[in-house]
Amino acid sequence: MVARSAATRGLVALAATAIGFAARPARADDFLHRLVADARARVDAEAAAHAPRPVPPVPVAVKWRPAKLTSIDLGAPLVALTAADLDGDGKAELYAVTTHDVIAIGWRGKRLDELARVPFAGDVAVPVPRDPVGTAVADGRALVASTSGFARALRVTWQGKQLVGAPGEADFELCPGEHAKLVPGRDVLEGNRYAVVCRDLVDATGAPLHVRGELAATGRLAVDAGTAHFEVPEVGVAFELADLDHDGTPEVIYAGAGAPGDPDSVKVVSLGGDPRKPRWKKPFTAGGVAGIAVGDLDGDKAPEVIAAVRLVGATRVDLWRLE
């Protein structure tokens, strides 16, 4: 390995030395031009030989065992929910975005409980939509949260054991580095969208697979995964994209698009499957699903699907583990 690395460095140095000569006019058989071409070809071959090889995912059986984990009073209506390991301890935390705060939720011993919270600050948004909305996007070790009641987003990080927030962009973050404005006075984003979710997964061969879901205000969810396009009708504002069984085909986990106060459910459909015949369905009659998150909360390398269920207008949510 040392010899190969040294050889690679030598070829790169040789190409860099000769590159200046390649720019001057010369005949096709000019020695220096041929030398540069040969050096580049060797460097490319060396890089290709040592490029990381795709590791195909190993399928696992998913066992759906819905169980209520806890009830938490958030102090304000929930507008977004996501899971991410921001503190780097190998376990994901839940991050609940309300109209007032960002709240970190994780395990305290054997109990799921609030870990910390940080409030939104700064100027209030004008005008404010009648129905509050929000987004929560994990970007590395930071969470970018937005709520329609405040003019700026909140960038949340852990500093030691303290959760801290700093002012973010004026626009709503949809995916890392991608922003959109909320339509003034309405609960939809530019482009007549309710929400966008982006996830970086792998396909059946182990190659990177970027999956993007856009929920239109009509309730239709459009999912793009590489060259594949899939649409799911009648989707509520709570949805997630994940490969739960590690077979290289993403699943769409989503709540229904019924009116507030109506019975709700969480459905799971594989990309390309029939939404009328979901792989799994869990009904909820006492409350609607306000948020769905997927993350490895207990550190066992297997992600859990978490649903936040609440009554209309309530600040208390029931957190359910679905698998």
Side-chain angles (χ1 to χ4, degrees):
M1 182 64 70
V2 173
R4 288 180 178 176
S5 297
T8 301
R9 289 196 298 270
L11 288 170
V12 172
L14 178 60
T17 302
I19 195 70
F21 295 97
R24 67 177 176 82
R27 300 186 308 274
D29 61 345
D30 185 284
F31 170 75
L32 288 175
H33 281 71
R34 287 186 283 111
L35 177 65
V36 170
D38 182 60
R40 284 174 173 164
R42 293 187 184 185
V43 169
D44 291 343
E46 187 75 14
H50 293 86
R53 296 183 178 180
V55 179
V58 178
V60 297
V62 177
K63 297 180 180 179
W64 298 99
R65 298 172 178 172
K68 181 180 172 181
L69 297 177
T70 189
S71 293
I72 296 180
D73 193 337
L74 302 176
L78 178 70
V79 293
L81 182 72
T82 194
D85 180 13
L86 298 188
D87 59 7
D89 67 351
K91 299 178 182 179
E93 307 85 45
L94 288 174
Y95 289 92
V97 180
T98 74
T99 54
H100 293 162
D101 306 282
V102 175
I103 304 166
I105 301 169
W107 289 103
R108 289 187 186 273
K110 297 182 179 181
R111 183 185 178 194
L112 200 63
D113 201 359
E114 178 179 328
L115 302 176
R117 69 172 60 200
V118 59
F120 283 91
D123 296 334
V124 297
V126 179
V128 178
R130 181 183 63 183
D131 297 323
V133 294
T135 58
V137 178
D139 188 357
R141 289 290 184 87
L143 179 82
V144 181
S146 297
T147 185
S148 52
F150 286 84
R152 287 190 172 275
L154 187 67
R155 187 175 181 84
V156 178
T157 57
W158 286 95
Q159 291 186 4
K161 294 185 178 181
Q162 184 177 5
L163 191 66
V164 298
E169 301 286 340
D171 298 337
F172 278 53
E173 183 142 341
L174 307 181
C175 299
E178 181 183 350
H179 301 82
K181 295 182 183 299
L182 195 66
V183 177
R186 297 188 59 199
D187 60 351
V188 296
L189 298 160
E190 292 173 319
N192 204 33
R193 297 171 292 178
Y194 273 139
V196 177
V197 169
C198 298
R199 297 290 179 259
D200 290 316
L201 308 174
V202 296
D203 65 15
T205 69
L209 180 65
H210 181 71
V211 186
R212 177 187 180 90
E214 289 200 9
L215 178 63
T218 59
R220 181 168 291 272
L221 176 64
V223 182
D224 289 293
T227 59
H229 181 78
F230 183 55
E231 291 193 353
V232 184
E234 299 179 351
V235 175
V237 293
F239 73 95
E240 254 294 358
L241 306 171
D243 184 6
L244 299 175
D245 54 7
H246 294 184
D247 66 350
T249 299
E251 281 82 44
V252 183
I253 310 106
Y254 64 99
D262 285 354
D264 206 348
S265 66
V266 172
K267 297 180 182 179
V268 180
V269 177
S270 294
L271 191 69
D274 188 348
R276 295 170 298 180
K277 300 177 180 179
R279 292 182 54 181
W280 188 80
K281 178 180 178 179
K282 165 63 178 172
F284 292 96
T285 56
V289 180
I292 296 174
V294 177
D296 180 10
L297 301 184
D298 54 13
D300 66 353
K301 308 302 181 184
E304 292 86 41
V305 178
I306 304 295
V309 181
R310 71 168 183 207
L311 296 174
V312 178
T315 62
R316 177 174 291 275
V317 298
D318 295 335
L319 296 177
W320 283 74
R321 187 195 68 225
L322 303 183
E323 64 88 16

